[in-house]
Amino acid sequence: MNPTKVFITTNFVLPVTKNDFRLDEICDFKGSVIDLSIPFFLFVGNLQLGKNIKGMVEGFSHFVHDNPYVNLLIVGKIINYDAEMMSIIEKTSNVYYLGYQSREHVDFF
């Protein structure tokens, strides 16, 4: 096999080339500034029922109880979630919905 023809990608994400892009400030969907110096988990994808965002947020709430200095950032378009789901995200400590973000922002995260 010719090694120049082998290209590995994880979850359909292309490897990031050198990117000088820097993000001075990022806000959640309500306009609150997120401190990116705090370690975080990042979910990137459409918010739809099949992805069990509610389960992820509930699981994270148990995790953050013993690890209060970690955030969960959720990035993506809302496809078919309702106000109840957004209410759960808003009420859960250290969970932030950032809405849709450009590819440049996602690569930065």
Side-chain angles (χ1 to χ4, degrees):
M1 180 178 339
N2 183 343
T4 62
K5 294 186 178 187
V6 175
F7 188 75
I8 299 172
T9 182
T10 305
N11 291 334
F12 307 102
V13 177
L14 298 175
V16 177
T17 56
K18 185 175 187 300
N19 185 353
D20 294 328
F21 177 79
R22 291 290 172 252
L23 196 58
D24 295 326
E25 186 176 274
I26 188 76
C27 297
D28 69 3
F29 77 107
K30 295 186 307 185
S32 301
V33 176
I34 308 299
D35 184 353
L36 294 178
S37 69
I38 297 173
F40 58 87
F41 292 98
L42 177 65
F43 171 85
V44 179
N46 291 331
L47 278 68
Q48 53 192 4
L49 294 173
K51 297 200 177 180
N52 195 17
I53 306 301
K54 182 178 178 182
M56 177 180 66
V57 170
E58 289 172 350
F60 181 78
S61 72
H62 294 292
F63 174 79
V64 82
H65 178 69
D66 296 326
N67 304 280
Y69 301 108
V70 177
N71 290 332
L72 171 61
L73 308 181
I74 300 173
V75 173
K77 293 179 186 177
I78 297 175
I79 301 298
N80 60 0
Y81 265 106
D82 55 15
E84 177 191 4
M85 183 63 234
M86 293 311 294
S87 176
I88 291 170
I89 289 173
E90 288 179 39
K91 292 178 183 176
T92 306
S93 298
N94 300 38
V95 176
Y96 302 95
Y97 174 60
L98 307 181
Y100 174 82
Q101 297 292 314
S102 71
R103 179 63 189 209
E104 199 170 48
H105 285 183
V106 172
D107 287 348
F108 176 77
F109 293 133

